[in-house]
Amino acid sequence: MLDLEKELRQEPFVVDGFVDRLTWWATQGQANKDEFDPNSLEETFEDSLRQLKSLSDKNKKAIEECENACQRVEAEEKKRLLKLEEEHMMAANQFHSLDAKIHRISAKAVALGEQLENVNVPRARLVEARTLIKYFHEFMSDDHLTSEVFTDPYQLLAAADIIQKLYNLSIELPNNEKFQRAKQKISKKYEEIEDELIRTFLTAQHENDRETMKTYVATLSTFKLGYTRCIDGFIEEIQQGAYFRDVFSDIVPLCERASQLIDDVFAISESVMTKLVVTIFKTKLQVHIQQQLDTKTENLDLYLTTLYELFKKTRQVSTQLSVFKIANDPEFLPHLQQNVFEKHLERYFTNECKNLTEKCHSHLDGHYSFIGHQKKTLPSAQGLSDALRREFQARLGGSGTDGHLGADLVSPDTATLLLDESKSALKRIQLLCKPKDQPRAAAEIMKIVVHSLIEEHLAYALQITIWAIPSGDTKIEPQSNFLELVNLCNVVVQLFDQHVIYDILPLVSGSEHHAECIQRKKDVLERLVAWVKALLTAEQKRSDFKPEAIHDAGNVLQSPTCGKVVAFMNHQIKKVKVVLDGKNLEVVSTELGARFHRVLYDHMLRFEYNEIGGMLAICDLNEYRKCARELKSPLAEQLFEILHSLCNLLVVAAENVPQVIKDEHLSGLDKTVIVAFIQLRADYKTARLQHVVR
């Protein structure tokens, strides 16, 4: 028979499958055959239903029993929880009661402790006072001290505590004969114990007994001078045998050893470390520096070089010491360094200028001595006749006929020596001068170099060579030494220009001296454009741009004045390209082009133009533009393009002026500039051009 209980417990339970299996079991798998017996199947189903009902009743009974058991357990647990809750409430009440009792007892204990303390403190003070009176009575007597605490060296700390209190007590006593002897004996013993404490501390330091050192430091801190003397002794002791090589290389290792020891021994380690560094700088380092410099005072150049090296080493030491606990001020070490060198830095720059001047003169004198030339004082060029020139040539000792002397007067090697001296001076200035003083100092150095190299060397050579040139005498063969000299001057000027850009300008950049140094470089450009301005003013006439007819204009390709200016500028531009290159050529070309444009712009505003004169002005301007193009400066090209557009306003018909104003080169200009050019037209009023630009 099929086990119904086992079938029902299968997971998952499927009713259809259960019925199919029951049918198969009842018919023995022959439900679809002819031998099928429905009665057997019915009996099986009925029997199965009875079994299922029996299982259902059995399960219901088991469920009821389980529910009853759960209800009994639940009731028992409720009773147990109620009992536990009651017990918890009783425990909480007892806890609060005990807590209140503890608070009351602790309050009483505190009050009792305060009462005991109030009683004990006066009693302890009385005991202490009695002890002090006992010791003070001993100091009042004429006999020697007999107390064990003052005679036993192993009770030094106890003796220090007692003598400190006695000393404070003696200060409060009146200065009369009754207490005078006692006060003297106490003061003497105070000093003896203080000295002994310091000796013991130094002994412990020598033995590297840090715990003992720390104990004695705490005791000495209550003495009047004990703590200070203790630190002084510590600093003196730790420096013993610390310097056996170079002072600068010994300082940092010394401070490294001292730093750890100071941290372990002294409560306020920063102040002790600071005092150690100050002592090293003031006593050891400053003395060493003074000794080194005192032996170099006779040789100014050697003195400055030594000062630079010593200051550099001291700065390196200061940088290495900055990692230690030394003051809270980041400027402390630099300020300490300045104090060490204060005596020498006060007159440093005066000595620097004096040394550079002397070295420059020495190099120049050596050069002239090498070429066998005696430097002479030259007269002014103004107002001298040819006779005076010949006389001066004779006084020069035939230099006008010497084909090599003119070129030999300028020496790039000597110039390099002068610039090297300047570089050395600037290097020292960067280290020894304060940052705020460096621009002024660099400007002064540049003045000395300009005077020695440019004025005393180059200008002198040019002037003496020019005066030595024969004036129109066909009996004397002309020499080319002047051109050779000019080439050498260009080489020296390039060296000087590089020196200014890379060595001087970085020091003066952003200061009031920057413009001064730049102006010295731009003076030559100023002289060029000044000559152009003078030539235009002197040669150009008002009638040049206002001829009555075309035949009055002459050669309309350019005016004679324009030809002279263009020839001069082309020559100067070629020279600039020869002596300059790279960024220097670009900067100078841009500056020269802008200045040239400004001179021409101002020059054109001085005249009035009729139609033919305007055409002549444009012809001149075209020649100037060709000249400016040689500079290869985009800025100069743009400026001359705009100026050309402005000149077109001088020649167009009056009714076309408004259209020309809208040209791309003129549309962005200030209206006052356009009006200024329109006003230069001869027909400005008759053509009613006053209201063209609004």
Side-chain angles (χ1 to χ4, degrees):
M1 182 173 179
L2 184 65
D3 189 352
L4 296 180
E5 187 175 357
K6 183 178 180 181
E7 287 288 333
L8 292 174
R9 290 178 179 175
Q10 289 184 1
E11 294 292 341
F13 177 75
V14 180
V15 176
D16 294 341
F18 171 72
V19 174
D20 291 339
R21 287 192 300 275
L22 186 62
T23 302
W24 184 87
W25 179 82
T27 60
Q28 298 297 320
Q30 298 179 359
N32 297 325
K33 295 181 180 181
D34 296 336
E35 295 83 2
F36 172 69
D37 185 4
N39 293 325
S40 176
L41 180 62
E42 181 183 6
E43 290 176 359
T44 301
F45 279 173
E46 289 176 353
D47 185 53
S48 297
L49 288 173
R50 285 192 296 271
Q51 290 183 32
L52 289 174
K53 187 176 183 304
S54 175
L55 287 174
S56 176
D57 294 340
K58 183 180 178 180
N59 288 335
K60 286 181 179 179
K61 185 177 180 180
I63 290 171
E64 289 176 357
E65 290 177 356
C66 288
E67 288 179 348
N68 293 333
C70 288
Q71 290 174 356
R72 289 194 300 271
V73 172
E74 182 181 3
E76 291 175 358
E77 292 297 323
K78 283 184 178 180
K79 292 179 181 179
R80 192 172 67 85
L81 287 174
L82 290 173
K83 185 178 179 180
L84 289 175
E85 186 177 359
E86 291 176 359
E87 291 177 354
H88 173 72
M89 291 296 295
M90 292 175 62
N93 293 333
Q94 290 177 359
F95 172 78
H96 289 303
S97 176
L98 290 174
D99 185 58
K101 290 179 181 179
I102 290 172
H103 280 293
R104 288 195 298 272
I105 293 172
S106 62
K108 291 180 180 179
V110 170
L112 182 60
E114 292 177 351
Q115 292 176 1
L116 291 174
E117 185 179 2
N118 292 335
V119 173
N120 186 61
V121 170
R123 182 181 299 173
R125 289 177 179 174
L126 288 174
V127 173
E128 183 180 357
R130 180 178 177 277
T131 304
L132 289 178
I133 290 173
K134 172 187 173 184
Y135 289 122
F136 185 76
H137 179 72
E138 190 172 348
F139 278 96
M140 287 285 290
S141 66
D142 294 335
D143 299 331
H144 295 291
L145 299 176
T146 58
S147 296
E148 185 179 1
V149 72
F150 293 121
T151 57
D152 186 359
Y154 295 101
Q155 299 188 39
L156 180 60
L157 294 177
D161 180 60
I162 294 171
I163 199 65
Q164 174 67 26
K165 295 174 180 177
L166 288 174
Y167 182 79
N168 292 334
L169 177 63
S170 67
I171 295 176
E172 302 296 331
L173 295 176
N175 293 322
N176 52 36
E177 295 181 1
K178 181 179 179 180
F179 301 107
Q180 190 65 32
R181 180 172 177 79
K183 293 177 70 173
Q184 291 177 353
K185 291 178 66 176
I186 291 173
S187 179
K188 182 178 179 181
K189 193 63 178 177
Y190 180 88
E191 293 175 357
E192 290 176 357
I193 292 177
E194 185 180 58
D195 293 340
E196 187 61 29
L197 287 171
I198 293 174
R199 281 194 294 270
T200 307
F201 170 83
L202 295 178
T203 301
Q205 179 182 352
H206 186 71
E207 297 173 354
N208 198 27
D209 186 354
R210 303 192 180 192
E211 289 299 324
T212 301
M213 293 173 64
K214 189 174 182 179
T215 301
Y216 278 85
V217 166
T219 302
L220 284 166
S221 63
T222 61
F223 280 71
K224 181 174 62 175
L225 300 176
Y227 189 71
T228 302
R229 292 179 58 197
C230 175
I231 294 175
D232 293 340
F234 170 82
I235 292 174
E236 183 178 354
E237 175 67 22
I238 204 168
Q239 291 186 86
Q240 295 296 326
Y243 306 104
F244 53 90
R245 295 178 298 174
D246 177 52
V247 174
F248 295 98
S249 59
D250 292 332
I251 290 176
V252 176
L254 169 62
C255 291
E256 288 176 349
R257 294 194 304 271
S259 178
Q260 185 60 47
L261 183 58
I262 290 172
D263 288 340
D264 293 341
V265 173
F266 294 92
I268 308 177
S269 58
E270 183 177 311
S271 62
V272 181
M273 193 67 191
T274 301
K275 190 168 185 178
L276 171 62
V277 173
V278 171
T279 303
I280 292 173
F281 270 68
K282 291 290 187 180
T283 58
K284 195 67 180 179
L285 191 58
Q286 189 169 20
V287 171
H288 173 75
I289 290 170
Q290 190 63 44
Q291 290 174 349
Q292 291 291 316
L293 293 176
D294 284 346
T295 60
K296 313 292 191 305
T297 53
E298 299 298 327
N299 188 333
L300 190 55
D301 185 57
L302 181 59
Y303 168 83
L304 292 173
T305 302
T306 306
L307 177 62
Y308 171 80
E309 293 297 332
L310 291 174
F311 195 93
K312 183 179 179 181
K313 290 182 179 180
T314 306
R315 173 169 287 186
Q316 292 173 348
V317 170
S318 299
T319 302
Q320 293 174 305
L321 293 179
S322 62
V323 300
F324 300 111
K325 297 178 181 178
I326 303 175
N328 291 322
D329 185 6
E331 296 298 321
F332 174 76
L333 286 172
H335 182 68
L336 182 61
Q337 179 179 337
Q338 290 293 125
N339 289 341
V340 170
F341 287 89
E342 183 177 10
K343 174 183 175 182
H344 304 280
L345 294 180
E346 285 178 352
R347 58 178 187 274
Y348 156 68
F349 188 63
T350 302
N351 289 334
E352 189 68 77
C353 293
K354 179 181 178 182
N355 178 65
L356 180 59
T357 303
E358 291 177 353
K359 296 290 287 185
C360 289
H361 288 167
S362 175
H363 289 311
L364 291 177
D365 292 343
H367 167 66
Y368 294 134
S369 175
F370 177 76
I371 64 175
H373 173 72
Q374 181 66 38
K375 194 172 183 181
K376 301 171 176 63
T377 302
L378 302 180
S380 173
Q382 296 180 355
L384 289 178
S385 63
D386 291 340
L388 287 175
R389 181 189 295 268
R390 287 191 296 272
E391 180 182 353
F392 182 73
Q393 292 171 357
R395 291 183 180 182
L396 290 177
S399 60
T401 59
D402 189 343
H404 300 284
L405 181 57
D408 289 343
L409 287 174
V410 173
S411 169
D413 293 337
T414 302
T416 302
L417 291 175
L418 267 62
L419 295 178
D420 287 342
E421 296 292 345
S422 176
K423 290 179 182 178
S424 299
L426 291 171
K427 183 173 68 172
R428 289 191 289 264
I429 284 173
Q430 287 181 275
L431 185 69
L432 300 176
C433 284
K434 296 179 180 179
K436 64 177 182 179
D437 297 330
Q438 290 180 11
R440 178 185 61 83
E444 290 296 324
I445 294 297
M446 183 175 180
K447 287 181 181 179
I448 296 174
V449 175
V450 168
H451 176 75
S452 301
L453 181 61
I454 305 301
E455 298 177 7
E456 293 293 327
H457 191 50
L458 298 187
Y460 170 78
L462 288 170
Q463 190 175 5
I464 197 171
T465 306
I466 290 172
W467 278 102
I469 296 175
S471 56
D473 192 348
T474 57
K475 298 179 181 180
I476 301 177
E477 180 181 354
Q479 303 294 334
S480 61
N481 55 346
F482 178 71
L483 297 179
E484 297 176 15
L485 180 70
V486 170
N487 183 50
L488 290 175
C489 288
N490 288 335
V491 173
V492 172
V493 169
Q494 288 187 61
L495 294 174
F496 174 72
D497 189 60
Q498 295 293 319
H499 176 59
V500 172
I501 293 174
Y502 293 109
D503 298 315
I504 295 179
L505 290 186
L507 291 179
V508 301
S509 180
S511 70
E512 59 184 8
H513 301 281
H514 187 205
E516 176 184 349
C517 294
I518 292 295
Q519 186 59 41
R520 291 180 180 274
K521 287 187 62 183
K522 292 183 177 180
D523 283 346
V524 62
L525 301 182
E526 187 66 34
R527 292 190 179 97
L528 291 179
V529 297
W531 190 90
V532 171
K533 183 177 181 179
L535 180 61
L536 291 171
T537 302
E539 299 286 339
Q540 199 90 65
K541 300 177 181 179
R542 293 187 178 274
S543 59
D544 290 347
F545 299 113
K546 202 174 181 182
E548 296 299 330
I550 188 65
H551 58 80
D552 294 331
N555 183 11
V556 296
L557 295 178
Q558 65 180 34
S559 66
T561 306
C562 174
K564 294 180 181 179
V565 171
V566 169
F568 172 77
M569 287 300 297
N570 282 333
H571 177 66
Q572 299 301 325
I573 291 172
K574 289 179 181 178
K575 289 175 61 177
V576 168
K577 289 183 176 181
V578 170
V579 300
L580 297 177
D581 58 6
K583 192 67 176 179
N584 291 329
L585 177 60
E586 179 183 340
V587 172
V588 172
S589 297
T590 301
E591 181 71 20
L592 181 58
R595 289 172 180 255
F596 184 38
H597 165 269
R598 186 65 192 184
V599 169
L600 295 175
Y601 174 82
D602 293 338
H603 174 69
M604 298 188 74
L605 290 177
R606 297 174 53 242
F607 301 95
E608 186 178 81
Y609 304 83
N610 58 18
E611 184 177 357
I612 299 175
M615 293 175 60
L616 182 59
I618 292 177
C619 291
D620 283 358
L621 182 60
N622 287 334
E623 296 300 318
Y624 296 141
R625 287 177 67 187
K626 292 178 183 178
C627 178
R629 286 195 188 100
E630 297 298 321
L631 293 170
K632 301 186 183 306
S633 168
L635 176 61
E637 185 72 23
Q638 182 182 5
L639 291 174
F640 276 91
E641 189 70 32
I642 294 173
L643 185 58
H644 185 271
S645 297
L646 288 171
C647 288
N648 286 335
L649 295 173
L650 304 176
V651 298
V652 298
E655 59 273 14
N656 294 333
V657 169
Q659 184 65 30
V660 175
I661 293 175
K662 297 178 182 179
D663 180 81
E664 60 176 345
H665 294 107
L666 300 181
S667 58
L669 288 182
D670 191 297
K671 293 182 179 181
T672 56
V673 176
I674 297 174
V675 171
F677 261 80
I678 295 175
Q679 290 176 346
L680 302 178
R681 292 173 61 111
D683 61 348
Y684 174 70
K685 294 182 179 180
T686 58
R688 301 180 182 276
L689 297 174
Q690 296 92 327
H691 305 292
V692 170
V693 181
R694 296 182 180 178

